[in-house]
Short mmCIF file of all heavy atoms in Angstrom, two decimals:
data_model
loop_
_atom_site.label_atom_id
_atom_site.label_comp_id
_atom_site.label_asym_id
_atom_site.label_seq_id
_atom_site.Cartn_x
_atom_site.Cartn_y
_atom_site.Cartn_z
N GLY A 18 -140.57 22.67 62.98
CA GLY A 18 -139.42 22.95 63.84
C GLY A 18 -138.29 23.63 63.13
O GLY A 18 -137.71 24.58 63.62
N ARG A 19 -138.05 23.25 61.88
CA ARG A 19 -137.03 23.86 61.09
C ARG A 19 -137.41 25.29 60.70
O ARG A 19 -136.61 26.22 60.84
CB ARG A 19 -136.78 23.00 59.82
CG ARG A 19 -135.65 23.51 58.90
CD ARG A 19 -135.61 22.76 57.61
NE ARG A 19 -135.46 21.27 57.82
CZ ARG A 19 -136.34 20.41 57.48
NH1 ARG A 19 -137.51 20.84 56.97
NH2 ARG A 19 -136.14 19.13 57.66
N ARG A 20 -138.63 25.44 60.27
CA ARG A 20 -139.12 26.78 59.79
C ARG A 20 -139.21 27.78 60.93
O ARG A 20 -139.01 28.97 60.70
CB ARG A 20 -140.48 26.58 59.11
CG ARG A 20 -141.13 27.82 58.60
CD ARG A 20 -142.26 27.48 57.64
NE ARG A 20 -143.22 26.55 58.24
CZ ARG A 20 -144.23 26.89 59.00
NH1 ARG A 20 -144.39 28.18 59.37
NH2 ARG A 20 -145.03 25.96 59.51
N LEU A 21 -139.57 27.31 62.12
CA LEU A 21 -139.80 28.23 63.19
C LEU A 21 -138.60 28.37 64.15
O LEU A 21 -138.72 28.92 65.23
CB LEU A 21 -141.02 27.74 64.03
CG LEU A 21 -142.32 27.73 63.23
CD1 LEU A 21 -143.43 27.05 63.97
CD2 LEU A 21 -142.75 29.17 62.92
N GLY A 22 -137.44 27.89 63.68
CA GLY A 22 -136.22 28.22 64.36
C GLY A 22 -135.79 27.36 65.56
O GLY A 22 -135.05 27.79 66.40
N LEU A 23 -136.28 26.10 65.64
CA LEU A 23 -135.85 25.27 66.73
C LEU A 23 -134.36 24.94 66.67
O LEU A 23 -133.76 24.49 67.65
CB LEU A 23 -136.64 23.94 66.81
CG LEU A 23 -138.06 24.00 67.37
CD1 LEU A 23 -138.60 22.60 67.53
CD2 LEU A 23 -138.11 24.76 68.68
N GLY A 24 -133.76 25.08 65.56
CA GLY A 24 -132.33 24.81 65.38
C GLY A 24 -131.41 25.72 66.14
O GLY A 24 -130.22 25.45 66.31
N VAL A 25 -131.98 26.85 66.73
CA VAL A 25 -131.14 27.77 67.44
C VAL A 25 -131.56 27.92 68.90
O VAL A 25 -131.17 28.81 69.62
CB VAL A 25 -131.17 29.18 66.76
CG1 VAL A 25 -130.55 29.09 65.38
CG2 VAL A 25 -132.61 29.69 66.68
N VAL A 26 -132.38 26.93 69.40
CA VAL A 26 -132.76 26.96 70.79
C VAL A 26 -132.26 25.63 71.41
O VAL A 26 -131.73 24.77 70.70
CB VAL A 26 -134.29 27.07 70.94
CG1 VAL A 26 -134.78 28.36 70.34
CG2 VAL A 26 -135.04 25.91 70.30
N PRO A 27 -132.44 25.45 72.71
CA PRO A 27 -131.91 24.21 73.37
C PRO A 27 -132.43 22.94 72.73
O PRO A 27 -131.78 21.86 72.90
CB PRO A 27 -132.42 24.35 74.82
CG PRO A 27 -132.44 25.81 75.04
CD PRO A 27 -132.89 26.42 73.76
N ALA A 28 -133.52 22.94 72.02
CA ALA A 28 -134.07 21.75 71.38
C ALA A 28 -133.41 21.40 70.09
O ALA A 28 -133.83 20.48 69.35
CB ALA A 28 -135.56 21.91 71.15
N ALA A 29 -132.32 22.11 69.70
CA ALA A 29 -131.67 21.92 68.39
C ALA A 29 -131.26 20.50 68.18
O ALA A 29 -131.45 19.92 67.07
CB ALA A 29 -130.50 22.85 68.28
N SER A 30 -130.72 19.82 69.20
CA SER A 30 -130.26 18.45 69.05
C SER A 30 -131.43 17.51 68.79
O SER A 30 -131.30 16.55 68.06
CB SER A 30 -129.48 17.99 70.26
OG SER A 30 -130.29 18.03 71.44
N LEU A 31 -132.59 17.77 69.42
CA LEU A 31 -133.73 16.96 69.16
C LEU A 31 -134.22 17.09 67.71
O LEU A 31 -134.58 16.10 67.06
CB LEU A 31 -134.92 17.34 70.10
CG LEU A 31 -134.73 17.09 71.59
CD1 LEU A 31 -135.87 17.65 72.39
CD2 LEU A 31 -134.60 15.60 71.83
N LEU A 32 -134.23 18.30 67.17
CA LEU A 32 -134.60 18.52 65.80
C LEU A 32 -133.62 17.86 64.88
O LEU A 32 -134.05 17.20 63.96
CB LEU A 32 -134.67 20.04 65.54
CG LEU A 32 -135.04 20.40 64.09
CD1 LEU A 32 -136.41 19.88 63.69
CD2 LEU A 32 -134.91 21.91 63.86
N GLY A 33 -132.37 18.00 65.11
CA GLY A 33 -131.33 17.34 64.26
C GLY A 33 -131.49 15.82 64.29
O GLY A 33 -131.36 15.17 63.24
N ASP A 34 -131.77 15.27 65.46
CA ASP A 34 -131.95 13.84 65.60
C ASP A 34 -133.15 13.36 64.78
O ASP A 34 -133.03 12.33 64.05
CB ASP A 34 -132.14 13.48 67.08
CG ASP A 34 -131.87 12.04 67.41
OD1 ASP A 34 -131.01 11.46 66.73
OD2 ASP A 34 -132.55 11.50 68.29
N ALA A 35 -134.23 14.11 64.85
CA ALA A 35 -135.42 13.75 64.11
C ALA A 35 -135.24 13.86 62.61
O ALA A 35 -135.68 13.05 61.83
CB ALA A 35 -136.60 14.59 64.54
N GLU A 36 -134.48 14.91 62.20
CA GLU A 36 -134.23 15.09 60.77
C GLU A 36 -133.37 13.93 60.21
O GLU A 36 -133.64 13.48 59.10
CB GLU A 36 -133.49 16.41 60.54
CG GLU A 36 -134.36 17.63 60.73
CD GLU A 36 -133.63 18.94 60.42
OE1 GLU A 36 -132.59 19.16 61.07
OE2 GLU A 36 -134.04 19.67 59.53
N LEU A 37 -132.43 13.43 60.97
CA LEU A 37 -131.60 12.34 60.53
C LEU A 37 -132.46 11.03 60.36
O LEU A 37 -132.19 10.22 59.48
CB LEU A 37 -130.47 12.09 61.49
CG LEU A 37 -129.33 13.10 61.46
CD1 LEU A 37 -128.38 12.88 62.64
CD2 LEU A 37 -128.61 13.07 60.11
N ALA A 38 -133.44 10.91 61.23
CA ALA A 38 -134.26 9.69 61.23
C ALA A 38 -135.31 9.76 60.12
O ALA A 38 -135.79 8.76 59.64
CB ALA A 38 -134.90 9.49 62.58
N SER A 39 -135.76 11.00 59.77
CA SER A 39 -136.95 11.16 58.97
C SER A 39 -136.98 10.57 57.57
O SER A 39 -138.05 10.19 57.09
CB SER A 39 -137.26 12.68 58.83
OG SER A 39 -136.22 13.37 58.14
N PRO A 40 -135.87 10.38 56.82
CA PRO A 40 -135.93 9.77 55.52
C PRO A 40 -136.60 8.39 55.51
O PRO A 40 -137.23 7.98 54.55
CB PRO A 40 -134.48 9.69 55.08
CG PRO A 40 -133.83 10.83 55.75
CD PRO A 40 -134.50 10.87 57.10
N ALA A 41 -136.51 7.67 56.66
CA ALA A 41 -137.10 6.34 56.72
C ALA A 41 -138.59 6.33 57.07
O ALA A 41 -139.22 5.31 56.91
CB ALA A 41 -136.37 5.51 57.78
N PHE A 42 -139.10 7.50 57.51
CA PHE A 42 -140.51 7.48 58.01
C PHE A 42 -141.49 6.95 56.97
O PHE A 42 -142.37 6.21 57.27
CB PHE A 42 -140.93 8.87 58.43
CG PHE A 42 -140.29 9.40 59.70
CD1 PHE A 42 -140.55 10.66 60.15
CD2 PHE A 42 -139.39 8.65 60.42
CE1 PHE A 42 -139.99 11.23 61.29
CE2 PHE A 42 -138.79 9.16 61.56
CZ PHE A 42 -139.10 10.45 62.02
N GLY A 43 -141.34 7.44 55.74
CA GLY A 43 -142.29 7.08 54.71
C GLY A 43 -141.99 5.77 53.96
O GLY A 43 -142.71 5.45 53.05
N LEU A 44 -140.96 5.07 54.39
CA LEU A 44 -140.56 3.84 53.68
C LEU A 44 -140.84 2.56 54.50
O LEU A 44 -141.42 1.63 54.00
CB LEU A 44 -139.09 3.89 53.28
CG LEU A 44 -138.68 4.99 52.32
CD1 LEU A 44 -137.16 5.03 52.18
CD2 LEU A 44 -139.33 4.77 50.98
N ARG A 45 -140.38 2.59 55.75
CA ARG A 45 -140.52 1.37 56.57
C ARG A 45 -141.96 1.07 56.84
O ARG A 45 -142.76 1.96 57.06
CB ARG A 45 -139.77 1.56 57.89
CG ARG A 45 -140.30 2.70 58.70
CD ARG A 45 -139.35 3.12 59.77
NE ARG A 45 -139.91 4.17 60.60
CZ ARG A 45 -139.24 4.95 61.41
NH1 ARG A 45 -137.95 4.81 61.50
NH2 ARG A 45 -139.86 5.89 62.13
N GLY A 46 -142.31 -0.22 56.74
CA GLY A 46 -143.69 -0.60 56.95
C GLY A 46 -144.58 -0.32 55.73
O GLY A 46 -145.79 -0.53 55.83
N GLY A 47 -144.00 0.07 54.63
CA GLY A 47 -144.79 0.33 53.41
C GLY A 47 -144.75 1.78 52.97
O GLY A 47 -144.98 2.71 53.74
N ALA A 48 -144.30 1.95 51.70
CA ALA A 48 -144.26 3.29 51.14
C ALA A 48 -145.65 3.85 50.90
O ALA A 48 -146.65 3.11 50.90
CB ALA A 48 -143.50 3.30 49.82
N SER A 49 -145.74 5.18 50.69
CA SER A 49 -147.06 5.79 50.62
C SER A 49 -147.92 5.28 49.54
O SER A 49 -149.15 5.15 49.69
CB SER A 49 -146.83 7.35 50.42
OG SER A 49 -146.24 7.90 51.59
N ASP A 50 -147.31 4.98 48.35
CA ASP A 50 -148.18 4.44 47.24
C ASP A 50 -148.77 3.08 47.58
O ASP A 50 -149.92 2.78 47.20
CB ASP A 50 -147.39 4.41 45.96
CG ASP A 50 -146.11 3.53 46.06
OD1 ASP A 50 -145.65 3.29 47.18
OD2 ASP A 50 -145.60 3.11 44.98
N ILE A 51 -148.05 2.25 48.39
CA ILE A 51 -148.58 0.95 48.80
C ILE A 51 -149.72 1.23 49.76
O ILE A 51 -150.79 0.56 49.65
CB ILE A 51 -147.49 0.17 49.49
CG1 ILE A 51 -146.30 -0.11 48.58
CG2 ILE A 51 -148.03 -1.15 50.04
CD1 ILE A 51 -146.63 -0.92 47.31
N LEU A 52 -149.56 2.15 50.75
CA LEU A 52 -150.63 2.39 51.68
C LEU A 52 -151.89 2.94 51.02
O LEU A 52 -153.01 2.51 51.34
CB LEU A 52 -150.11 3.36 52.73
CG LEU A 52 -148.88 2.90 53.55
CD1 LEU A 52 -148.38 4.08 54.41
CD2 LEU A 52 -149.19 1.70 54.36
N LEU A 53 -151.67 3.88 50.08
CA LEU A 53 -152.83 4.42 49.38
C LEU A 53 -153.58 3.38 48.55
O LEU A 53 -154.80 3.35 48.40
CB LEU A 53 -152.41 5.57 48.52
CG LEU A 53 -151.97 6.86 49.28
CD1 LEU A 53 -151.35 7.87 48.29
CD2 LEU A 53 -153.14 7.44 50.02
N SER A 54 -152.78 2.42 48.02
CA SER A 54 -153.40 1.33 47.24
C SER A 54 -154.28 0.45 48.17
O SER A 54 -155.39 0.05 47.78
CB SER A 54 -152.32 0.46 46.64
OG SER A 54 -152.86 -0.67 46.00
N ILE A 55 -153.82 0.17 49.39
CA ILE A 55 -154.64 -0.59 50.31
C ILE A 55 -155.91 0.14 50.69
O ILE A 55 -157.02 -0.47 50.70
CB ILE A 55 -153.77 -0.89 51.60
CG1 ILE A 55 -152.62 -1.81 51.26
CG2 ILE A 55 -154.64 -1.45 52.70
CD1 ILE A 55 -151.61 -1.92 52.36
N VAL A 56 -155.85 1.40 50.92
CA VAL A 56 -157.00 2.20 51.25
C VAL A 56 -157.96 2.27 50.08
O VAL A 56 -159.17 2.14 50.25
CB VAL A 56 -156.63 3.62 51.71
CG1 VAL A 56 -157.85 4.46 51.96
CG2 VAL A 56 -155.75 3.54 52.99
N ALA A 57 -157.43 2.45 48.88
CA ALA A 57 -158.27 2.54 47.69
C ALA A 57 -159.03 1.21 47.44
O ALA A 57 -160.22 1.23 47.03
CB ALA A 57 -157.41 2.86 46.44
N LYS A 58 -158.38 0.08 47.69
CA LYS A 58 -159.07 -1.21 47.52
C LYS A 58 -160.20 -1.31 48.48
O LYS A 58 -161.25 -1.91 48.17
CB LYS A 58 -158.05 -2.32 47.71
CG LYS A 58 -157.06 -2.44 46.57
CD LYS A 58 -156.02 -3.51 46.83
CE LYS A 58 -154.99 -3.56 45.72
NZ LYS A 58 -153.90 -4.53 45.97
N GLN A 59 -160.01 -0.79 49.71
CA GLN A 59 -161.11 -0.83 50.66
C GLN A 59 -162.30 0.00 50.15
O GLN A 59 -163.47 -0.40 50.25
CB GLN A 59 -160.66 -0.29 52.01
CG GLN A 59 -161.76 -0.17 53.06
CD GLN A 59 -161.35 0.59 54.27
OE1 GLN A 59 -160.55 1.57 54.16
NE2 GLN A 59 -161.82 0.22 55.44
#
């Protein structure tokens, strides 16, 4: 969305909202290294 220019169309607020939320995506419920460790044990 950022690369293809959604920031300058009516969806700009949606993109901005998602960007503000995104830092938590990979942390809550387990960081990536924890998840990969679970998969590797399997």
Side-chain angles (χ1 to χ4, degrees):
R19 185 187 302 115
R20 178 166 51 85
L21 297 170
L23 282 190
V25 296
V26 299
S30 61
L31 293 175
L32 178 61
D34 199 33
E36 286 182 303
L37 287 172
S39 63
F42 290 178
L44 297 174
R45 60 196 183 197
S49 294
D50 57 340
I51 300 297
L52 301 173
L53 290 173
S54 175
I55 292 169
V56 175
K58 289 175 183 176
Q59 178 192 33

